[in-house]
Amino acid sequence: MDILEETVSKVVQIKPRKGESILTYYLCVYQEGDDIRGELSLATQTSCGYLAKFGERIFIIGGEAGGTDKILRKSDFDQSEFDIPISRKNKKKK
Amino acid sequence: MKFNATRLGTARQRRMLNKKGFADLVGVTPHTASRWEAGATIPDEEWVEKIASCLGFPKKFFFGEDVDIPNAKMVSFRSQTSMTAARRDAALSAGSLGFLIVDWVDERFDLPDENVPDLSDYSPEIAALMLRQDWGLGEKAISNMVHLLESKGVRVFSLAENSKKVNAFSLWRDDTPFVFLNTIKTAENSRFDAAHELGHLALHRDGLTTGRKAEEEANRFASHLLIPQSDLLSFRKPHYSIEWLIGLKARWKVSLAALCYRMHKEEFLSDWRYRDLCIQIRVRFKDTEPEGIERERSVVWSKVMKALWSERLTQLDIAKDLALPEEEVSALIFGLLSEANPPSGANTERKFSVIKNERYT
């Protein structure tokens, strides 16, 4: 991860003044190949060029360009010892 | 399409209103309300608006085809004595809405074919044994009753009633078996209910046995289906502690009370010891189940909803197509679904999902 530029480091240390309601969120983007991820952060402090403290962090999880990987959960009940075949008759909504 | 009187009756009963209560709610005389429901007169546009608003159904619902209404005489309810007629009718009208949903799904999906044998000529104990043989279950414990029912073509719904007084019910609609399960009870009780309702489907399809006798037979069937006698016999010993029984019940995924009841019936437990165990269970666990199992969910609804979600369709679309209140569709389906909402990745065009990190808020 790249270290923040000095100007940014200074900005994020500025907290809203008393009575003001404007907050600044930073959109941080990470890209590796087709995989893109992001984070929308309300940073309140930096340390050694990194965001160190946050008021709020919102993670934006990206997917591969070909589509998102299906995450199977323990409670995914498609798995059954009994054969329960279900198939779509047609794709068009009637 | 003109105003459908049978649909008015279904919606009224679903809201647990008698005809007078409905008339008072809408602001007409009971005579007028009765004539609407009998189809003798048709309410005008303004009154239809009022009816729809009072009953919480979309106006369009009242202009559909006739709905199938389960025959109360052919439906076995458990806990009949503590159930009012209004509550029974409300549950039956939920059955009518379930029929509409199944018809909608049947138009779009191929579901497992019905394969529930008629075992009405046999005693519950023998019927349970025969069903196990017929379905190739052997003597092993049934891993999931809902899955088993669904694999044999039974349409399983969650009961929309938020009351323990309506346990569960089942019925045949032509050649399709239906089971409605109460999902606010413990998972073990719901599982026993599923086996009990299967007993009704297999033993009482002809409708000749009803009432308390039918309920008692279905209970015996369920007990023998879930706990095969030969398997139970291998656990006979001189003394049973409650802790040991808690460990044993996990083998068949039944409640502690159901296991003790069965062991008493099989004379593993004396009357005195059984009574003592019942008191211990009541005092120590009250309405909870020790070492409870995970609730059984539907595979059919999971697969159907996932397929629909991938096409950007949700329960809202089902409700809209059928002109049903969304909460009715949700209650009938989602009590049996592991995921109540479409997964964020269901639509492949969406590349991002947002996760708020609570740790920093």
Side-chain angles (χ1 to χ4, degrees), chain A residues 55-56 59 81 87 89, chain B residues 106 108 110 143 355-356 360:
Chain A
E56 184 176 18
F59 299 106
E81 72 167 281
S87 58
K89 281 182 175 165
Chain B
D106 274 341
R108 294 157 177 80
D110 286 315
S143 62
I355 299 171
K356 195 170 176 179
Y360 297 98

Side-chain angles (χ1 to χ4, degrees), chain A residues 14-84:
Chain A
I14 299 170
K15 293 180 181 175
R17 289 179 203 149
K18 202 174 179 182
E20 282 185 355
S21 59
I22 299 170
L23 299 171
T24 306
Y25 281 73
Y26 294 88
L27 178 64
C28 310
V29 179
Y30 168 85
Q31 181 176 9
E32 188 177 75
D34 292 331
D35 186 23
I36 302 172
R37 279 174 273 165
E39 176 181 338
L40 196 61
S41 298
L42 176 64
T44 55
Q45 195 179 315
T46 58
S47 175
C48 304
Y50 293 98
L51 297 176
K53 287 191 176 177
F54 304 87
E56 184 176 18
R57 302 181 78 176
I58 298 172
F59 299 106
I60 305 166
I61 302 169
E64 298 292 332
T68 51
D69 289 335
K70 187 180 178 188
I71 300 168
L72 287 176
R73 304 190 319 182
K74 202 179 174 186
S75 58
D76 194 320
F77 285 85
D78 278 1
Q79 304 301 318
S80 173
E81 72 167 281
F82 303 109
D83 183 30
I84 308 175

Side-chain angles (χ1 to χ4, degrees), chain B residues 202-238:
Chain B
L203 293 169
H204 308 132
R205 189 172 181 173
D206 52 15
L208 297 176
T209 310
T210 55
R212 182 168 290 190
K213 184 167 188 287
E215 294 308 304
E216 192 258 332
E217 285 185 359
N219 275 339
R220 280 159 54 199
F221 174 91
S223 182
H224 280 259
L225 181 74
L226 292 172
I227 311 172
Q229 192 164 23
S230 54
D231 199 14
L232 180 63
L233 283 172
S234 61
F235 291 94
R236 184 154 203 161
K237 57 185 212 144

Side-chain angles (χ1 to χ4, degrees), chain B residues 71-219:
Chain B
N71 181 351
K73 288 179 183 169
M74 294 295 287
V75 176
S76 290
F77 284 101
R78 300 184 70 191
S79 304
Q80 299 210 51
T81 48
S82 61
M83 187 168 57
T84 62
R87 204 176 281 286
R88 182 202 62 204
D89 290 342
L92 290 175
S93 56
S96 295
L97 307 186
F99 293 162
L100 291 174
I101 295 171
V102 159
D103 289 344
W104 190 93
V105 172
D106 274 341
E107 279 182 22
R108 294 157 177 80
F109 292 88
D110 286 315
L111 304 179
D113 292 331
E114 178 271 317
N115 180 19
V116 179
D118 181 356
L119 301 168
S120 53
D121 290 339
Y122 304 94
S123 72
E125 293 79 7
I126 298 295
L129 202 61
M130 290 182 72
L131 191 91
R132 276 185 162 271
Q133 284 178 358
D134 194 48
W135 287 356
L137 299 172
E139 296 289 325
K140 68 174 182 175
I142 296 169
S143 62
N144 190 309
M145 270 307 301
V146 171
H147 293 185
L148 178 64
L149 290 176
E150 291 184 322
S151 71
K152 303 302 176 188
V154 180
R155 309 292 183 248
V156 185
F157 283 93
S158 53
L159 205 50
E161 321 308 300
N162 190 22
S163 166
K164 287 185 180 177
K165 288 189 175 174
V166 183
N167 278 4
F169 67 93
S170 57
L171 55 103
W172 284 91
R173 183 198 185 204
D174 300 325
D175 290 327
T176 306
F178 284 75
V179 165
F180 294 79
L181 293 175
N182 185 324
T183 51
I184 64 169
K185 298 168 72 181
T186 66
E188 287 81 358
N189 283 341
S190 277
R191 182 174 154 86
F192 191 89
D193 283 349
H196 173 103
E197 296 309 324
L198 176 59
H200 280 307
L201 293 172
L203 293 169
H204 308 132
R205 189 172 181 173
D206 52 15
L208 297 176
T209 310
T210 55
R212 182 168 290 190
K213 184 167 188 287
E215 294 308 304
E216 192 258 332
E217 285 185 359
N219 275 339

Side-chain angles (χ1 to χ4, degrees), chain B residues 166-318:
Chain B
V166 183
N167 278 4
F169 67 93
S170 57
L171 55 103
W172 284 91
R173 183 198 185 204
D174 300 325
D175 290 327
T176 306
F178 284 75
V179 165
F180 294 79
L181 293 175
N182 185 324
T183 51
I184 64 169
K185 298 168 72 181
T186 66
E188 287 81 358
N189 283 341
S190 277
R191 182 174 154 86
F192 191 89
D193 283 349
H196 173 103
E197 296 309 324
L198 176 59
H200 280 307
L201 293 172
L203 293 169
H204 308 132
R205 189 172 181 173
D206 52 15
L208 297 176
T209 310
T210 55
R212 182 168 290 190
K213 184 167 188 287
E215 294 308 304
E216 192 258 332
E217 285 185 359
N219 275 339
R220 280 159 54 199
F221 174 91
S223 182
H224 280 259
L225 181 74
L226 292 172
I227 311 172
Q229 192 164 23
S230 54
D231 199 14
L232 180 63
L233 283 172
S234 61
F235 291 94
R236 184 154 203 161
K237 57 185 212 144
H239 177 75
Y240 308 95
S241 71
I242 199 160
E243 279 69 28
W244 188 84
L245 291 168
I246 290 171
L248 182 61
K249 81 186 178 79
R251 179 176 180 84
W252 300 293
K253 296 185 178 181
V254 294
S255 70
L256 185 57
L259 176 61
C260 290
Y261 179 85
R262 176 65 184 284
M263 291 177 81
H264 177 239
K265 284 283 176 194
E266 300 289 343
E267 299 182 349
F268 282 31
L269 298 171
S270 66
D271 291 348
W272 182 87
R273 181 61 180 145
Y274 176 58
R275 197 175 305 126
D276 176 56
L277 283 169
C278 286
I279 293 168
Q280 279 195 59
I281 292 168
R282 198 160 51 242
V283 170
R284 283 180 61 180
F285 307 115
K286 294 192 172 73
D287 290 333
T288 61
E289 184 63 40
E291 306 289 330
I293 59 170
E294 194 171 357
R295 185 167 296 284
E296 294 184 351
R297 308 288 185 185
S298 162
V299 164
V300 166
W301 290 117
S302 176
K303 285 185 175 179
V304 166
M305 291 313 298
K306 278 178 184 171
L308 293 175
W309 288 336
S310 72
E311 296 168 29
R312 291 170 166 266
L313 296 172
T314 67
Q315 73 269 28
L316 263 172
D317 297 282
I318 302 176

